[in-house]
Amino acid sequence: MFHHIMRFSLQDGLTVAERDEVCRQIRSLVDLPMVISSSVCQDLGNPANGFSHTAIVLFEGSADYLSYLTDPDHAVIIDFVIPRWKKAMFCDASDEFDPTLYDRIRKTISEMASTPKIIEHIAAITA
């Protein structure tokens, strides 16, 4: 199994409907064929870290995760969700003990993150 974990907080000034839509969009990732489950939870880490939500997306394995990263429907959700995040942190975990896995994932993420729209989104939430 492969777990993609996102901790985030939402932009100030969003309406309740906008906040709900961000969570709905993340939960809708389960509609992608490579996703087993997608949930959004209250983040229970130290409140001083500034995260209010945690999302967990589950895949059968790393091949499905790599496919997800470049899926066009995933990109549509990214384009909606990321501009509404104030702060985010990502973590991935796998029960595949493959020494090459980290490098393969970083390479795919690097390629994905080099698009101008993603660069702009990431800069906004990591500044």
Side-chain angles (χ1 to χ4, degrees), residues 12 17 24 30 33 41 48 56 59-60 64-65 67-68 71 74 79-80 82 84-85 94 101 105-106 115 117 126:
D12 297 331
R24 189 198 70 73
V30 74
C41 315
I56 304 167
F59 305 88
E60 185 66 36
D64 289 332
Y65 177 63
S67 174
Y68 158 87
D71 184 279
H74 173 230
D79 287 344
F80 180 83
I82 290 180
R84 289 161 177 82
W85 285 349
S94 175
L101 188 54
I105 289 169
R106 291 296 142 233
T115 63
K117 198 167 200 176
T126 58

Side-chain angles (χ1 to χ4, degrees), residues 86-104:
K86 179 195 285 186
K87 181 179 181 178
M89 180 178 79
F90 302 88
C91 176
D92 298 318
S94 175
D95 61 7
E96 298 173 40
F97 289 88
D98 174 353
T100 69
L101 188 54
Y102 176 83
D103 290 335
R104 288 187 290 132

Side-chain angles (χ1 to χ4, degrees), residues 9-28:
S9 59
L10 296 168
Q11 292 284 342
D12 297 331
L14 293 180
T15 66
V16 171
E18 289 170 321
R19 290 172 176 273
D20 289 347
E21 183 60 15
V22 167
C23 295
R24 189 198 70 73
Q25 292 264 342
I26 294 169
R27 287 184 187 106
S28 78

